[in-house]
Amino acid sequence: MTRYNPASSRAEEFINDQEILDTIEYAQKNKDNLELMRKVLEKGKKQQGLTHREAALLLECEDEQILAEMFELAKQIKERIYGRRIVLFAPLYLSNYCVNGCVYCPYHQKNKHIRRKKLTQEEIRKEVIALQDMGHKRLALESGEDPLHSPIEYILESIDTIYNIHHKNGAIRRVNVNIAATSVENYKKLEQAGIGTYILFQETYHKETYEQLHPTGPKHDYAYHTEAMDRAMEGDIDDVGIGVLFGLYKYRYDFVGLIMHAEHLEAKFGVGPHTISVPRIRPADDIDVSEFPEAIVDSLFKKIVALIRISTPYTGMIISTRESASSREEVLEIGVSQISGGSSTSVGGYAEKELLEDNSAQFDTSDKRTLDEIIYWLMNSGYVPSFCTACYRAGRTGDRFMALAKSGQIGNVCQPNSLMTLTEYLLDYASPETKKLGEQLIQKELAHILDANVKRRSEEYILQMEHGSRDFRF
Ligand code: SF4
Ligand code: SF4
């Protein structure tokens, strides 16, 4: 039997099946122990995070009062560390050729209903210009795995193309990359190409289920996939983003696995994940959601988000347009700090709206609002939309970023940076209604900047932006 070791390099030791099962058993045995739950909540209030056992215990909680306190704590942590800021990004799909057989994804190799597409560099230019014209500054690059159609050289060339497109006042300042697990050598190349975060979802931590859901292709190899973040960090990528696709397997197992993965990165590299994404199974071409009995309902989803927030306070949390507007609204309050907006999940879907019969989308988007509508909605709900990419550009990544985040100082730069980038958006892309609301919000937020020097500089920069300058950051 393999033993649990969070600092191990081996998947079966840091995501140890027996430890997950023992944790679930421990949590279920104690599900009526309200005193123990209160103790764990008290620990959570110190904002130093929770262990996977503690988090699993709270996941079993059904006591109304403790649940209310749990949501309140998640809200407080969110507010203290991230304020009211919400960072915006957009996915960019490069290619849907894929040699894998993931049963929940329409890009799987055997699906003959979708047209396969791979963007040329010229098509990428068009997509990026369309994204810049919406106001986006931060992208998440997505591509199926196919050594023939999208080798690492293609991804690197595409990143270079993206960073070099400057249309009007537009610029993509941070390219996060979500591509298949690869070698240390390739991660080094991605790092040298200047990527922001490397994102890879585990899908499910349950090995047997993982192997069934990925019956063919290189992704079938559970250990290679699960150890990918270790190789990324060995390849000098400081910021990695993890996540599971909730609904593929039992949520308790995957929740514990997710927290253990974060603990592993912290134990081995001294830096936890930069982000955690919380996607859920959604309908798509060739995918029948009713085939996934483990799909989770909204109330449970909300509990999971709150517990991730309490367990890993310094990790950004991402939600996509798979979620409906109302579901997104609920989880923004209790933990989510980044959302996508105005997204297309099709290859080439920004420059040209797809014909229905030519569908190449990876999944249906529930939230179909434009970016401008999302910005208006966020501000109207009391949030400050941000297009900030400052940390990565200033070298504040990995442990440097975590040190600032843990000391609480990061907010001192996040706050003015959100106002700088929101000003750019309002000047260059906003509708008149959004602009009006945004200008009022910026005046209100400027008054909340405590440091007199930062406040003065922010006001100066905004004035300079009104006269045509761009790209100020702290
Ligand atoms: Fe390919 Fe990724 Fe879809 Fe799997 S999830 S079929 S690897 S694109
Ligand atoms: Fe993110 Fe850093 Fe910008 Fe804050 S200052 S929003 S942490 S990039």
Side-chain angles (χ1 to χ4, degrees):
M1 196 175 75
T2 49
R3 287 197 35 219
Y4 174 50
N5 175 4
S8 167
S9 302
R10 297 178 57 209
E12 58 185 325
E13 290 180 352
F14 66 79
I15 304 291
N16 183 257
D17 178 61
Q18 194 55 51
E19 174 59 19
I20 297 181
L21 296 176
D22 291 349
T23 299
I24 295 171
E25 194 188 328
Y26 157 82
Q28 289 187 330
K29 253 192 203 155
N30 286 290
K31 72 179 174 29
D32 298 319
N33 190 341
L34 301 188
E35 200 185 322
L36 188 59
M37 285 187 185
R38 284 198 183 285
K39 254 192 194 161
V40 173
L41 257 191
E42 280 308 309
K43 183 183 169 195
K45 286 183 187 162
K46 293 188 183 135
Q47 307 195 3
Q48 302 297 318
L50 300 178
T51 66
H52 60 273
R53 287 218 170 194
E54 292 162 341
L57 176 72
L58 289 184
L59 188 61
E60 296 305 322
C61 180
E62 280 169 12
D63 179 84
E64 292 295 328
Q65 205 189 331
I66 296 185
L67 276 177
E69 282 176 38
M70 202 170 89
F71 286 122
E72 186 51 36
L73 175 58
K75 205 169 138 186
Q76 281 170 14
I77 294 177
K78 164 84 199 296
E79 186 100 23
R80 184 185 157 259
I81 298 176
Y82 300 88
R84 303 292 288 171
R85 296 172 297 279
I86 302 291
V87 170
L88 275 306
F89 75 97
L92 172 59
Y93 283 75
L94 293 182
S95 164
N96 62 7
Y97 285 94
C98 193
V99 295
N100 288 308
C102 316
V103 303
Y104 51 84
C105 172
Y107 290 179
H108 67 81
Q109 195 182 31
K110 288 191 184 134
N111 186 3
K112 304 290 177 219
H113 304 163
I114 56 165
R115 191 161 80 80
R116 300 289 168 171
K117 281 191 200 172
K118 169 193 166 181
L119 298 180
T120 62
Q121 298 306 309
E122 193 42 44
E123 286 168 333
I124 292 173
R125 279 185 60 79
K126 285 188 188 151
E127 287 287 277
V128 170
I129 286 172
L131 283 157
Q132 288 184 1
D133 280 346
M134 288 160 73
H136 278 294
K137 301 282 187 267
R138 176 190 287 244
L139 299 185
L141 223 56
E142 314 270 345
S143 175
E145 179 170 14
D146 190 321
L148 214 63
H149 288 96
S150 43
I152 191 73
E153 291 72 25
Y154 168 70
I155 305 290
L156 297 171
E157 188 187 359
S158 305
I159 294 168
D160 190 54
T161 299
I162 294 166
Y163 277 136
N164 282 301
I165 299 166
H166 299 284
H167 174 67
K168 297 182 185 165
N169 285 333
I172 298 302
R173 298 173 182 156
R174 178 175 178 130
V175 178
N176 297 333
V177 172
N178 180 357
I179 60 164
T182 186
S183 61
V184 174
E185 195 192 354
N186 284 346
Y187 285 126
K188 280 196 174 136
K189 289 178 185 168
L190 287 170
E191 194 274 330
Q192 281 155 15
I195 69 162
T197 311
Y198 172 66
I199 301 161
L200 183 70
F201 299 157
Q202 177 63 30
E203 321 298 7
T204 174
Y205 286 97
H206 187 252
K207 187 166 184 271
E208 210 181 305
T209 306
Y210 178 94
E211 287 168 352
Q212 283 163 9
L213 293 169
H214 307 96
T216 53
K219 196 168 168 180
H220 180 72
D221 188 337
Y222 175 87
Y224 189 74
H225 189 84
T226 311
E227 291 160 8
M229 292 315 185
D230 297 50
R231 293 193 300 281
M233 286 202 163
E234 282 156 19
D236 299 328
I237 295 179
D238 283 345
D239 293 343
V240 298
I242 62 175
V244 289
L245 183 48
F246 280 104
L248 290 181
Y249 187 60
K250 296 181 191 311
Y251 71 89
R252 290 186 173 91
Y253 194 100
D254 279 332
F255 173 77
V256 175
L258 189 65
I259 305 294
M260 280 168 79
H261 202 168
E263 289 172 334
H264 160 65
L265 294 172
E266 183 92 46
K268 189 170 167 200
F269 299 99
V271 186
H274 192 68
T275 54
I276 292 181
S277 299
V278 284
R280 276 195 282 178
I281 279 284
R282 291 278 311 151
D285 179 78
D286 205 34
I287 305 299
D288 180 0
V289 201
S290 63
E291 285 174 23
F292 294 94
E294 304 296 343
I296 58 172
V297 296
D298 287 0
S299 55
L300 182 55
F301 183 59
K302 199 176 153 194
K303 198 171 171 187
I304 287 173
V305 169
L307 280 173
I308 294 175
R309 181 68 300 134
I310 299 170
S311 306
T312 57
Y314 304 103
T315 299
M317 216 189 300
I318 303 179
I319 197 166
S320 76
T321 33
R322 285 181 201 223
E323 295 296 329
S324 66
S326 63
S327 161
R328 297 209 314 167
E329 188 152 9
E330 289 216 49
V331 292
L332 279 183
E333 200 173 34
I334 53 165
V336 168
S337 55
Q338 279 189 41
I339 61 171
S340 49
S343 302
S344 164
T345 60
S346 305
V347 182
Y350 292 108
E352 286 168 31
K353 287 267 168 255
E354 290 221 324
L355 297 172
L356 212 56
E357 63 270 24
D358 191 27
N359 183 21
S360 67
Q362 193 186 26
F363 55 83
D364 290 347
T365 52
S366 268
D367 191 342
K368 296 189 190 306
R369 292 173 295 180
T370 63
L371 181 62
D372 194 70
E373 285 166 344
I374 288 192
I375 299 291
Y376 186 91
W377 160 72
L378 284 173
M379 294 191 300
N380 208 27
S381 313
Y383 295 103
V384 182
S386 173
F387 292 89
C388 179
T389 55
C391 280
Y392 140 83
R393 297 168 77 213
R396 292 192 296 254
T397 59
D399 50 359
R400 291 174 296 281
F401 171 82
M402 281 298 167
L404 277 173
K406 288 184 179 172
S407 67
Q409 287 172 35
I410 196 75
N412 300 336
V413 285
C414 294
Q415 188 189 19
N417 281 335
S418 66
L419 302 184
M420 298 302 103
T421 54
L422 180 58
T423 301
E424 285 185 332
Y425 178 82
L426 298 179
L427 289 169
D428 291 337
Y429 309 105
S431 64
E433 300 75 44
T434 304
K435 191 166 183 217
K436 193 170 161 210
L437 186 61
E439 283 168 351
Q440 290 164 1
L441 178 77
I442 286 173
Q443 286 314 312
K444 212 167 83 194
E445 289 295 316
L446 278 171
H448 292 156
I449 297 180
L450 298 176
D451 185 312
N453 183 34
V454 173
K455 187 175 171 198
R456 182 187 49 76
R457 277 169 64 203
S458 300
E459 286 166 343
E460 273 171 26
Y461 290 162
I462 289 175
L463 207 62
Q464 289 182 46
M465 280 192 266
E466 284 165 0
H467 289 93
S469 299
R470 293 291 178 270
D471 200 12
F472 293 101
R473 62 184 153 89
F474 289 84

